[in-house]
Amino acid sequence: MQKICVIGGSRYFGKLLVQRLHAAGHQVTVINRGSTRPPAGVHHLVADRDDEAALVAALGSTTFDVVVDQVCYTPVQAAIAARAFRGRTSRYVMTSTIEVYDPATSALPTVPRGTPVPEGTVDPASWPVRPDLPWQDDTYLEAHYAEGKRQAEAVFTRDSGFAFASVRSAHVLGGGAQEFTGRLAHYIERIARGTEIAVHAEARPTVFIHYEELADLLLWAATATDFTGPLNACSDGLLDVRELSALIGAQTGREAAYRTVGAGETASPFSFDRPYAMSNTRAKELGFPFSRTSDWLPGAVAEVVGTHIV
């Protein structure tokens, strides 16, 4: 049994992670602002992670074996957490994102066409940190989500006082109504109604992960391994927007209709005109067995069809 703290953990794969950690016999504490209570048997600390004094007061003298941070989006939040948990934990796992590799949001090293990117493409040990930027502004943060995650990883990597690992998640699907992004529903509804899907002329493939698989990987990262640094988390198999739509069409008995977007026009989610796929080789070498996207995606589509009028 380990003492594990989850910051956030009130919805989707974070909620599932808390449930699975508790079911596995670990002593789990959830920290959030109090809007959602954790399951019975899970300790609850109410604090705003952006308020350092309140966070430290809520923690008191409590220590943990591992902290899993589900809701760190900026270098300012990372710096607060690094100070608050220094001396209180020996390991810290942050949920990050595939978007750190988006070449549209920063100048990144180029990779050969069609090559999924490895973790070293974005090295947090050398990434510049700008805590003076307006991270507290929601509009700014939404527009700079990828950069906020990159800089948060950098803060923990360079100045934390504990072993740090980041899990860079692929696009998460599954869970029916729990899937709060609504991106899978976007496609299912349009295909079922015959509405055109806006795509790039040469859409590039990307990677996905089922929300249960991501919860399993985070549990593994917190309790069964001691790796540090970034780790890509994605199921096997690349899909572009047309392949994804074709699979949905096969499930719904409808054929997708497409419209090619012009320069500067917004395409549907998961249509990318730039490289946007990760390599999961490192996680496999460390011992995590990934599923294939094609194995679980039909079930994920069926879950959404069952919860939406299409």
Side-chain angles (χ1 to χ4, degrees), residues 119-187:
E119 288 85 354
T121 304
V122 174
D123 179 10
S126 59
W127 199 264
V129 175
R130 290 286 309 277
D132 57 311
L133 295 174
W135 298 111
Q136 73 285 352
D137 182 276
D138 290 341
T139 302
Y140 181 87
L141 179 56
E142 182 177 0
H144 297 83
Y145 174 76
E147 183 60 21
K149 286 288 192 179
R150 286 188 286 254
Q151 293 194 26
E153 287 189 40
V155 169
F156 283 125
T157 299
R158 297 205 290 259
D159 185 29
S160 61
F162 38 68
F164 173 69
S166 59
V167 173
R168 294 171 175 171
S169 169
H171 307 292
V172 188
L173 298 176
Q178 292 186 67
E179 189 190 310
F180 60 86
T181 66
R183 292 177 177 177
L184 196 52
H186 169 96
Y187 283 94

Short mmCIF file of all heavy atoms in Angstrom, two decimals, residues 119-187:
data_model
loop_
_atom_site.label_atom_id
_atom_site.label_comp_id
_atom_site.label_asym_id
_atom_site.label_seq_id
_atom_site.Cartn_x
_atom_site.Cartn_y
_atom_site.Cartn_z
N GLU A 119 9.84 11.33 -27.12
CA GLU A 119 9.76 12.29 -26.02
C GLU A 119 10.81 13.39 -26.11
O GLU A 119 10.56 14.54 -25.74
CB GLU A 119 9.90 11.55 -24.68
CG GLU A 119 8.71 10.73 -24.28
CD GLU A 119 8.69 9.32 -24.89
OE1 GLU A 119 9.58 9.03 -25.73
OE2 GLU A 119 7.81 8.52 -24.53
N GLY A 120 12.01 13.06 -26.62
CA GLY A 120 13.09 14.03 -26.66
C GLY A 120 12.85 15.21 -27.58
O GLY A 120 13.61 16.20 -27.53
N THR A 121 11.80 15.15 -28.39
CA THR A 121 11.48 16.27 -29.27
C THR A 121 11.19 17.53 -28.47
O THR A 121 11.48 18.65 -28.91
CB THR A 121 10.27 15.93 -30.17
OG1 THR A 121 10.56 14.73 -30.89
CG2 THR A 121 9.97 17.04 -31.14
N VAL A 122 10.59 17.36 -27.30
CA VAL A 122 10.38 18.49 -26.37
C VAL A 122 11.05 18.11 -25.06
O VAL A 122 10.54 17.27 -24.31
CB VAL A 122 8.88 18.77 -26.15
CG1 VAL A 122 8.69 19.84 -25.08
CG2 VAL A 122 8.23 19.21 -27.46
N ASP A 123 12.19 18.71 -24.79
CA ASP A 123 12.99 18.39 -23.61
C ASP A 123 12.72 19.42 -22.52
O ASP A 123 13.16 20.57 -22.62
CB ASP A 123 14.47 18.39 -23.96
CG ASP A 123 15.36 18.09 -22.77
OD1 ASP A 123 14.82 17.70 -21.72
OD2 ASP A 123 16.59 18.27 -22.89
N PRO A 124 12.00 19.05 -21.46
CA PRO A 124 11.68 20.04 -20.42
C PRO A 124 12.89 20.55 -19.66
O PRO A 124 12.84 21.62 -19.06
CB PRO A 124 10.72 19.27 -19.50
CG PRO A 124 10.99 17.84 -19.75
CD PRO A 124 11.41 17.73 -21.18
N ALA A 125 13.99 19.79 -19.69
CA ALA A 125 15.19 20.24 -18.97
C ALA A 125 15.77 21.52 -19.57
O ALA A 125 16.46 22.28 -18.88
CB ALA A 125 16.24 19.13 -18.98
N SER A 126 15.50 21.76 -20.84
CA SER A 126 16.07 22.95 -21.49
C SER A 126 15.00 23.92 -21.99
O SER A 126 15.33 24.94 -22.60
CB SER A 126 16.94 22.52 -22.68
OG SER A 126 16.20 21.77 -23.62
N TRP A 127 13.73 23.64 -21.72
CA TRP A 127 12.67 24.49 -22.24
C TRP A 127 12.61 25.80 -21.45
O TRP A 127 12.65 25.80 -20.23
CB TRP A 127 11.32 23.77 -22.16
CG TRP A 127 10.31 24.41 -23.08
CD1 TRP A 127 9.38 25.34 -22.76
CD2 TRP A 127 10.19 24.16 -24.48
NE1 TRP A 127 8.66 25.69 -23.88
CE2 TRP A 127 9.14 24.98 -24.95
CE3 TRP A 127 10.85 23.32 -25.38
CZ2 TRP A 127 8.75 25.00 -26.29
CZ3 TRP A 127 10.46 23.33 -26.70
CH2 TRP A 127 9.43 24.16 -27.15
N PRO A 128 12.52 26.95 -22.13
CA PRO A 128 12.45 28.23 -21.40
C PRO A 128 11.16 28.38 -20.62
O PRO A 128 10.10 27.94 -21.06
CB PRO A 128 12.55 29.27 -22.52
CG PRO A 128 12.10 28.55 -23.75
CD PRO A 128 12.52 27.13 -23.59
N VAL A 129 11.26 29.01 -19.46
CA VAL A 129 10.11 29.21 -18.58
C VAL A 129 9.83 30.70 -18.43
O VAL A 129 10.75 31.48 -18.15
CB VAL A 129 10.36 28.58 -17.19
CG1 VAL A 129 9.20 28.90 -16.25
CG2 VAL A 129 10.55 27.08 -17.33
N ARG A 130 8.56 31.10 -18.62
CA ARG A 130 8.16 32.49 -18.52
C ARG A 130 6.99 32.64 -17.56
O ARG A 130 5.83 32.76 -17.96
CB ARG A 130 7.77 33.02 -19.90
CG ARG A 130 8.92 33.17 -20.90
CD ARG A 130 9.78 34.38 -20.56
NE ARG A 130 8.97 35.58 -20.39
CZ ARG A 130 8.55 36.35 -21.40
NH1 ARG A 130 8.85 36.01 -22.65
NH2 ARG A 130 7.84 37.43 -21.17
N PRO A 131 7.25 32.66 -16.25
CA PRO A 131 6.15 32.81 -15.29
C PRO A 131 5.52 34.19 -15.32
O PRO A 131 4.43 34.39 -14.75
CB PRO A 131 6.84 32.55 -13.94
CG PRO A 131 8.28 32.90 -14.18
CD PRO A 131 8.56 32.50 -15.60
N ASP A 132 6.17 35.16 -15.99
CA ASP A 132 5.65 36.53 -16.03
C ASP A 132 4.54 36.72 -17.06
O ASP A 132 3.89 37.77 -17.08
CB ASP A 132 6.79 37.49 -16.36
CG ASP A 132 7.49 37.14 -17.68
OD1 ASP A 132 7.85 35.95 -17.84
OD2 ASP A 132 7.70 38.03 -18.51
N LEU A 133 4.30 35.73 -17.90
CA LEU A 133 3.23 35.84 -18.88
C LEU A 133 1.86 35.77 -18.18
O LEU A 133 1.77 35.26 -17.06
CB LEU A 133 3.38 34.74 -19.93
CG LEU A 133 4.64 34.83 -20.78
CD1 LEU A 133 4.78 33.60 -21.68
CD2 LEU A 133 4.65 36.11 -21.61
N PRO A 134 0.80 36.23 -18.82
CA PRO A 134 -0.52 36.33 -18.14
C PRO A 134 -1.24 34.98 -18.03
O PRO A 134 -2.35 34.80 -18.54
CB PRO A 134 -1.29 37.32 -19.02
CG PRO A 134 -0.70 37.16 -20.39
CD PRO A 134 0.76 36.89 -20.16
N TRP A 135 -0.62 34.04 -17.33
CA TRP A 135 -1.20 32.70 -17.20
C TRP A 135 -2.51 32.70 -16.43
O TRP A 135 -3.31 31.76 -16.56
CB TRP A 135 -0.19 31.77 -16.52
CG TRP A 135 1.07 31.58 -17.30
CD1 TRP A 135 2.31 32.03 -16.97
CD2 TRP A 135 1.21 30.90 -18.55
NE1 TRP A 135 3.23 31.67 -17.93
CE2 TRP A 135 2.57 30.96 -18.91
CE3 TRP A 135 0.32 30.23 -19.40
CZ2 TRP A 135 3.06 30.39 -20.09
CZ3 TRP A 135 0.81 29.66 -20.56
CH2 TRP A 135 2.16 29.74 -20.90
N GLN A 136 -2.75 33.72 -15.62
CA GLN A 136 -3.98 33.75 -14.84
C GLN A 136 -5.18 34.16 -15.68
O GLN A 136 -6.33 34.02 -15.24
CB GLN A 136 -3.83 34.74 -13.66
CG GLN A 136 -3.83 36.21 -14.03
CD GLN A 136 -2.53 36.69 -14.67
OE1 GLN A 136 -1.53 35.95 -14.71
NE2 GLN A 136 -2.52 37.92 -15.15
N ASP A 137 -4.93 34.64 -16.91
CA ASP A 137 -6.01 35.05 -17.80
C ASP A 137 -6.52 33.82 -18.56
O ASP A 137 -5.78 33.19 -19.29
CB ASP A 137 -5.50 36.10 -18.78
CG ASP A 137 -6.59 36.60 -19.70
OD1 ASP A 137 -6.83 35.94 -20.73
OD2 ASP A 137 -7.19 37.65 -19.42
N ASP A 138 -7.79 33.48 -18.38
CA ASP A 138 -8.35 32.26 -18.97
C ASP A 138 -8.25 32.25 -20.49
O ASP A 138 -7.99 31.22 -21.11
CB ASP A 138 -9.80 32.07 -18.54
CG ASP A 138 -9.94 31.71 -17.08
OD1 ASP A 138 -8.94 31.26 -16.48
OD2 ASP A 138 -11.05 31.88 -16.52
N THR A 139 -8.47 33.41 -21.10
CA THR A 139 -8.40 33.49 -22.56
C THR A 139 -6.98 33.24 -23.05
O THR A 139 -6.76 32.50 -24.02
CB THR A 139 -8.89 34.85 -23.06
OG1 THR A 139 -10.24 35.05 -22.61
CG2 THR A 139 -8.84 34.94 -24.58
N TYR A 140 -6.02 33.83 -22.35
CA TYR A 140 -4.62 33.61 -22.72
C TYR A 140 -4.23 32.15 -22.53
O TYR A 140 -3.59 31.54 -23.39
CB TYR A 140 -3.71 34.50 -21.87
CG TYR A 140 -2.24 34.34 -22.20
CD1 TYR A 140 -1.65 35.10 -23.20
CD2 TYR A 140 -1.44 33.42 -21.51
CE1 TYR A 140 -0.30 34.94 -23.52
CE2 TYR A 140 -0.11 33.26 -21.83
CZ TYR A 140 0.45 34.02 -22.84
OH TYR A 140 1.78 33.85 -23.16
N LEU A 141 -4.65 31.57 -21.41
CA LEU A 141 -4.30 30.19 -21.12
C LEU A 141 -4.88 29.24 -22.15
O LEU A 141 -4.21 28.30 -22.61
CB LEU A 141 -4.79 29.80 -19.72
CG LEU A 141 -4.53 28.37 -19.28
CD1 LEU A 141 -3.05 28.03 -19.35
CD2 LEU A 141 -5.05 28.14 -17.87
N GLU A 142 -6.13 29.47 -22.55
CA GLU A 142 -6.75 28.61 -23.55
C GLU A 142 -5.99 28.68 -24.87
O GLU A 142 -5.79 27.65 -25.54
CB GLU A 142 -8.20 29.02 -23.77
CG GLU A 142 -8.94 28.13 -24.77
CD GLU A 142 -10.40 28.50 -24.92
OE1 GLU A 142 -10.86 29.45 -24.25
OE2 GLU A 142 -11.09 27.83 -25.71
N ALA A 143 -5.53 29.87 -25.24
CA ALA A 143 -4.80 30.04 -26.50
C ALA A 143 -3.38 29.50 -26.43
O ALA A 143 -2.76 29.24 -27.46
CB ALA A 143 -4.78 31.52 -26.89
N HIS A 144 -2.85 29.33 -25.21
CA HIS A 144 -1.47 28.89 -25.04
C HIS A 144 -1.39 27.62 -24.18
O HIS A 144 -0.46 27.44 -23.40
CB HIS A 144 -0.64 30.01 -24.40
CG HIS A 144 -0.54 31.23 -25.26
ND1 HIS A 144 -1.53 32.19 -25.29
CD2 HIS A 144 0.42 31.65 -26.14
CE1 HIS A 144 -1.19 33.15 -26.13
NE2 HIS A 144 -0.02 32.84 -26.66
N TYR A 145 -2.39 26.76 -24.34
CA TYR A 145 -2.48 25.54 -23.55
C TYR A 145 -1.21 24.68 -23.69
O TYR A 145 -0.65 24.22 -22.69
CB TYR A 145 -3.71 24.75 -23.99
CG TYR A 145 -3.85 23.39 -23.36
CD1 TYR A 145 -4.29 23.25 -22.05
CD2 TYR A 145 -3.57 22.22 -24.09
CE1 TYR A 145 -4.43 21.99 -21.47
CE2 TYR A 145 -3.71 20.97 -23.52
CZ TYR A 145 -4.14 20.86 -22.21
OH TYR A 145 -4.27 19.62 -21.64
N ALA A 146 -0.77 24.46 -24.91
CA ALA A 146 0.40 23.61 -25.13
C ALA A 146 1.65 24.20 -24.47
O ALA A 146 2.43 23.49 -23.83
CB ALA A 146 0.64 23.42 -26.63
N GLU A 147 1.83 25.50 -24.61
CA GLU A 147 3.01 26.14 -24.02
C GLU A 147 2.94 26.11 -22.50
O GLU A 147 3.97 25.93 -21.83
CB GLU A 147 3.14 27.58 -24.52
CG GLU A 147 4.38 28.31 -24.01
CD GLU A 147 5.69 27.64 -24.41
OE1 GLU A 147 5.72 26.85 -25.37
OE2 GLU A 147 6.71 27.92 -23.74
N GLY A 148 1.76 26.26 -21.94
CA GLY A 148 1.62 26.15 -20.49
C GLY A 148 2.06 24.80 -19.99
O GLY A 148 2.74 24.68 -18.96
N LYS A 149 1.66 23.74 -20.70
CA LYS A 149 2.07 22.38 -20.31
C LYS A 149 3.58 22.19 -20.45
O LYS A 149 4.23 21.60 -19.58
CB LYS A 149 1.32 21.35 -21.16
CG LYS A 149 -0.14 21.18 -20.79
CD LYS A 149 -0.30 20.43 -19.46
CE LYS A 149 -1.73 20.01 -19.23
NZ LYS A 149 -1.90 19.27 -17.94
N ARG A 150 4.15 22.69 -21.54
CA ARG A 150 5.61 22.56 -21.72
C ARG A 150 6.36 23.24 -20.59
O ARG A 150 7.32 22.69 -20.04
CB ARG A 150 6.01 23.17 -23.08
CG ARG A 150 5.65 22.32 -24.29
CD ARG A 150 6.24 22.88 -25.57
NE ARG A 150 5.56 24.07 -26.03
CZ ARG A 150 4.72 24.12 -27.07
NH1 ARG A 150 4.45 23.03 -27.76
NH2 ARG A 150 4.17 25.26 -27.43
N GLN A 151 5.93 24.45 -20.25
CA GLN A 151 6.63 25.18 -19.20
C GLN A 151 6.40 24.57 -17.82
O GLN A 151 7.29 24.60 -16.96
CB GLN A 151 6.23 26.66 -19.23
CG GLN A 151 6.71 27.38 -20.47
CD GLN A 151 6.62 28.88 -20.37
OE1 GLN A 151 6.65 29.45 -19.28
NE2 GLN A 151 6.52 29.54 -21.51
N ALA A 152 5.21 24.03 -17.58
CA ALA A 152 4.96 23.35 -16.30
C ALA A 152 5.89 22.17 -16.14
O ALA A 152 6.49 21.96 -15.07
CB ALA A 152 3.50 22.91 -16.22
N GLU A 153 6.04 21.36 -17.19
CA GLU A 153 6.98 20.24 -17.15
C GLU A 153 8.40 20.73 -16.86
O GLU A 153 9.14 20.10 -16.09
CB GLU A 153 6.97 19.49 -18.48
CG GLU A 153 5.75 18.65 -18.76
CD GLU A 153 5.93 17.77 -19.99
OE1 GLU A 153 7.04 17.22 -20.16
OE2 GLU A 153 4.97 17.62 -20.78
N ALA A 154 8.77 21.84 -17.46
CA ALA A 154 10.11 22.38 -17.27
C ALA A 154 10.36 22.77 -15.82
O ALA A 154 11.44 22.51 -15.27
CB ALA A 154 10.32 23.57 -18.20
N VAL A 155 9.38 23.40 -15.20
CA VAL A 155 9.54 23.81 -13.80
C VAL A 155 9.77 22.60 -12.90
O VAL A 155 10.70 22.57 -12.09
CB VAL A 155 8.31 24.61 -13.33
CG1 VAL A 155 8.34 24.81 -11.81
CG2 VAL A 155 8.24 25.96 -14.03
N PHE A 156 8.93 21.59 -13.03
CA PHE A 156 9.07 20.39 -12.20
C PHE A 156 10.40 19.67 -12.47
O PHE A 156 11.02 19.14 -11.55
CB PHE A 156 7.92 19.43 -12.46
CG PHE A 156 6.63 19.81 -11.81
CD1 PHE A 156 5.47 19.93 -12.57
CD2 PHE A 156 6.54 20.02 -10.44
CE1 PHE A 156 4.26 20.26 -11.98
CE2 PHE A 156 5.34 20.35 -9.83
CZ PHE A 156 4.20 20.47 -10.60
N THR A 157 10.81 19.65 -13.72
CA THR A 157 12.04 18.94 -14.08
C THR A 157 13.27 19.58 -13.46
O THR A 157 14.18 18.90 -12.99
CB THR A 157 12.20 18.90 -15.61
OG1 THR A 157 11.09 18.20 -16.18
CG2 THR A 157 13.49 18.19 -16.02
N ARG A 158 13.27 20.91 -13.40
CA ARG A 158 14.49 21.61 -13.01
C ARG A 158 14.53 22.03 -11.55
O ARG A 158 15.62 22.25 -11.01
CB ARG A 158 14.66 22.85 -13.91
CG ARG A 158 14.84 22.50 -15.38
CD ARG A 158 15.57 23.59 -16.12
NE ARG A 158 14.78 24.79 -16.27
CZ ARG A 158 14.14 25.12 -17.39
NH1 ARG A 158 14.15 24.31 -18.43
NH2 ARG A 158 13.48 26.26 -17.48
N ASP A 159 13.38 22.16 -10.91
CA ASP A 159 13.41 22.73 -9.56
C ASP A 159 12.26 22.20 -8.73
O ASP A 159 11.32 22.93 -8.40
CB ASP A 159 13.32 24.27 -9.65
CG ASP A 159 13.46 24.94 -8.30
OD1 ASP A 159 14.13 24.35 -7.43
OD2 ASP A 159 12.90 26.04 -8.11
N SER A 160 12.33 20.93 -8.34
CA SER A 160 11.22 20.37 -7.58
C SER A 160 11.65 19.71 -6.28
O SER A 160 10.93 19.76 -5.30
CB SER A 160 10.46 19.35 -8.43
OG SER A 160 11.32 18.29 -8.81
N GLY A 161 12.81 19.05 -6.26
CA GLY A 161 13.23 18.36 -5.05
C GLY A 161 12.65 16.97 -4.91
O GLY A 161 12.78 16.35 -3.86
N PHE A 162 11.99 16.47 -5.97
CA PHE A 162 11.49 15.10 -5.97
C PHE A 162 11.63 14.52 -7.37
O PHE A 162 11.83 15.26 -8.34
CB PHE A 162 10.03 15.02 -5.51
CG PHE A 162 9.15 16.16 -6.00
CD1 PHE A 162 8.83 16.30 -7.35
CD2 PHE A 162 8.64 17.10 -5.11
CE1 PHE A 162 8.03 17.32 -7.80
CE2 PHE A 162 7.84 18.13 -5.56
CZ PHE A 162 7.53 18.25 -6.91
N ALA A 163 11.53 13.21 -7.49
CA ALA A 163 11.58 12.57 -8.80
C ALA A 163 10.33 12.96 -9.57
O ALA A 163 9.21 12.85 -9.06
CB ALA A 163 11.67 11.06 -8.64
N PHE A 164 10.50 13.39 -10.82
CA PHE A 164 9.38 13.90 -11.59
C PHE A 164 9.22 13.14 -12.90
O PHE A 164 10.19 12.86 -13.60
CB PHE A 164 9.56 15.38 -11.90
CG PHE A 164 8.52 15.93 -12.85
CD1 PHE A 164 7.20 16.06 -12.45
CD2 PHE A 164 8.87 16.27 -14.15
CE1 PHE A 164 6.24 16.53 -13.34
CE2 PHE A 164 7.91 16.75 -15.03
CZ PHE A 164 6.60 16.89 -14.63
N ALA A 165 7.97 12.82 -13.21
CA ALA A 165 7.63 12.19 -14.49
C ALA A 165 6.39 12.87 -15.06
O ALA A 165 5.49 13.27 -14.31
CB ALA A 165 7.36 10.70 -14.30
N SER A 166 6.35 13.01 -16.37
CA SER A 166 5.16 13.54 -17.02
C SER A 166 4.62 12.50 -18.00
O SER A 166 5.38 11.82 -18.68
CB SER A 166 5.46 14.85 -17.77
OG SER A 166 6.46 14.65 -18.76
N VAL A 167 3.31 12.36 -18.03
CA VAL A 167 2.64 11.44 -18.95
C VAL A 167 1.94 12.30 -20.01
O VAL A 167 0.98 13.01 -19.71
CB VAL A 167 1.62 10.56 -18.21
CG1 VAL A 167 0.80 9.74 -19.22
CG2 VAL A 167 2.34 9.64 -17.24
N ARG A 168 2.46 12.23 -21.23
CA ARG A 168 1.93 13.03 -22.33
C ARG A 168 0.85 12.22 -23.05
O ARG A 168 1.15 11.35 -23.85
CB ARG A 168 3.05 13.44 -23.27
CG ARG A 168 4.05 14.38 -22.62
CD ARG A 168 5.28 14.63 -23.48
NE ARG A 168 6.17 15.63 -22.88
CZ ARG A 168 7.39 15.91 -23.33
NH1 ARG A 168 7.88 15.24 -24.39
NH2 ARG A 168 8.13 16.83 -22.74
N SER A 169 -0.39 12.55 -22.76
CA SER A 169 -1.51 11.77 -23.25
C SER A 169 -1.87 12.11 -24.68
O SER A 169 -1.90 13.28 -25.08
CB SER A 169 -2.73 12.01 -22.35
OG SER A 169 -3.88 11.46 -22.94
N ALA A 170 -2.19 11.07 -25.45
CA ALA A 170 -2.78 11.25 -26.78
C ALA A 170 -4.21 11.77 -26.63
O ALA A 170 -4.69 12.00 -25.51
CB ALA A 170 -2.77 9.93 -27.53
N HIS A 171 -4.90 11.97 -27.73
CA HIS A 171 -6.30 12.40 -27.69
C HIS A 171 -7.13 11.30 -27.02
O HIS A 171 -7.11 10.15 -27.44
CB HIS A 171 -6.80 12.64 -29.11
CG HIS A 171 -5.93 13.57 -29.90
ND1 HIS A 171 -5.80 14.91 -29.60
CD2 HIS A 171 -5.12 13.35 -30.96
CE1 HIS A 171 -4.97 15.48 -30.45
NE2 HIS A 171 -4.54 14.56 -31.28
N VAL A 172 -7.86 11.67 -25.98
CA VAL A 172 -8.56 10.69 -25.15
C VAL A 172 -10.00 10.54 -25.63
O VAL A 172 -10.72 11.54 -25.83
CB VAL A 172 -8.55 11.11 -23.67
CG1 VAL A 172 -9.12 9.99 -22.80
CG2 VAL A 172 -7.14 11.48 -23.22
N LEU A 173 -10.43 9.29 -25.82
CA LEU A 173 -11.79 8.99 -26.24
C LEU A 173 -12.36 7.90 -25.35
O LEU A 173 -11.63 7.23 -24.62
CB LEU A 173 -11.81 8.52 -27.70
CG LEU A 173 -11.34 9.50 -28.77
CD1 LEU A 173 -11.35 8.83 -30.14
CD2 LEU A 173 -12.18 10.76 -28.78
N GLY A 174 -13.67 7.70 -25.44
CA GLY A 174 -14.33 6.64 -24.68
C GLY A 174 -15.10 7.18 -23.50
O GLY A 174 -14.87 8.30 -23.03
N GLY A 175 -16.03 6.37 -23.02
CA GLY A 175 -16.79 6.74 -21.83
C GLY A 175 -18.17 7.30 -22.10
O GLY A 175 -18.85 7.72 -21.16
N GLY A 176 -18.60 7.34 -23.36
CA GLY A 176 -19.94 7.83 -23.66
C GLY A 176 -20.15 9.26 -23.19
O GLY A 176 -19.41 10.16 -23.56
N ALA A 177 -21.13 9.46 -22.34
CA ALA A 177 -21.47 10.80 -21.86
C ALA A 177 -20.36 11.41 -21.01
O ALA A 177 -20.31 12.63 -20.83
CB ALA A 177 -22.77 10.75 -21.07
N GLN A 178 -19.46 10.58 -20.46
CA GLN A 178 -18.36 11.11 -19.66
C GLN A 178 -17.35 11.87 -20.49
O GLN A 178 -16.57 12.67 -19.97
CB GLN A 178 -17.64 9.97 -18.94
CG GLN A 178 -18.44 9.27 -17.88
CD GLN A 178 -17.57 8.27 -17.14
OE1 GLN A 178 -16.65 8.63 -16.42
NE2 GLN A 178 -17.87 7.00 -17.33
N GLU A 179 -17.32 11.60 -21.79
CA GLU A 179 -16.31 12.21 -22.65
C GLU A 179 -16.64 13.69 -22.86
O GLU A 179 -17.33 14.08 -23.80
CB GLU A 179 -16.26 11.47 -24.00
CG GLU A 179 -15.10 11.91 -24.88
CD GLU A 179 -15.24 11.34 -26.28
OE1 GLU A 179 -15.46 10.12 -26.41
OE2 GLU A 179 -15.13 12.12 -27.22
N PHE A 180 -16.13 14.52 -21.96
CA PHE A 180 -16.59 15.90 -21.88
C PHE A 180 -16.15 16.78 -23.04
O PHE A 180 -16.70 17.86 -23.25
CB PHE A 180 -16.15 16.53 -20.55
CG PHE A 180 -14.66 16.56 -20.33
CD1 PHE A 180 -13.89 17.58 -20.82
CD2 PHE A 180 -14.03 15.54 -19.63
CE1 PHE A 180 -12.52 17.62 -20.61
CE2 PHE A 180 -12.66 15.56 -19.41
CZ PHE A 180 -11.91 16.60 -19.91
N THR A 181 -15.15 16.35 -23.84
CA THR A 181 -14.75 17.18 -24.98
C THR A 181 -15.80 17.17 -26.09
O THR A 181 -15.89 18.12 -26.86
CB THR A 181 -13.41 16.69 -25.58
OG1 THR A 181 -13.59 15.38 -26.15
CG2 THR A 181 -12.33 16.64 -24.51
N GLY A 182 -16.56 16.09 -26.19
CA GLY A 182 -17.60 16.01 -27.21
C GLY A 182 -17.08 15.82 -28.62
O GLY A 182 -17.85 15.92 -29.59
N ARG A 183 -15.81 15.51 -28.77
CA ARG A 183 -15.24 15.43 -30.12
C ARG A 183 -15.71 14.20 -30.89
O ARG A 183 -15.97 14.27 -32.10
CB ARG A 183 -13.71 15.46 -30.03
CG ARG A 183 -13.18 16.81 -29.57
CD ARG A 183 -11.69 16.81 -29.42
NE ARG A 183 -11.21 18.14 -29.03
CZ ARG A 183 -9.94 18.43 -28.77
NH1 ARG A 183 -9.01 17.47 -28.84
NH2 ARG A 183 -9.58 19.65 -28.44
N LEU A 184 -15.83 13.08 -30.21
CA LEU A 184 -16.34 11.90 -30.89
C LEU A 184 -17.81 12.09 -31.27
O LEU A 184 -18.24 11.71 -32.37
CB LEU A 184 -16.16 10.67 -30.00
CG LEU A 184 -16.27 9.30 -30.67
CD1 LEU A 184 -15.36 9.19 -31.88
CD2 LEU A 184 -15.95 8.20 -29.66
N ALA A 185 -18.56 12.70 -30.38
CA ALA A 185 -19.96 12.99 -30.68
C ALA A 185 -20.09 13.93 -31.88
O ALA A 185 -21.03 13.82 -32.68
CB ALA A 185 -20.64 13.62 -29.46
N HIS A 186 -19.15 14.85 -32.02
CA HIS A 186 -19.11 15.77 -33.17
C HIS A 186 -19.17 14.99 -34.47
O HIS A 186 -19.96 15.30 -35.38
CB HIS A 186 -17.84 16.61 -33.09
CG HIS A 186 -17.53 17.41 -34.32
ND1 HIS A 186 -17.89 18.73 -34.46
CD2 HIS A 186 -16.87 17.08 -35.47
CE1 HIS A 186 -17.49 19.17 -35.64
NE2 HIS A 186 -16.86 18.19 -36.27
N TYR A 187 -18.35 13.95 -34.58
CA TYR A 187 -18.30 13.16 -35.80
C TYR A 187 -19.52 12.27 -35.97
O TYR A 187 -20.09 12.16 -37.06
CB TYR A 187 -17.03 12.30 -35.81
CG TYR A 187 -15.80 13.11 -36.14
CD1 TYR A 187 -15.01 13.65 -35.13
CD2 TYR A 187 -15.46 13.38 -37.45
CE1 TYR A 187 -13.90 14.42 -35.42
CE2 TYR A 187 -14.35 14.15 -37.76
CZ TYR A 187 -13.57 14.67 -36.75
OH TYR A 187 -12.48 15.44 -37.05
#
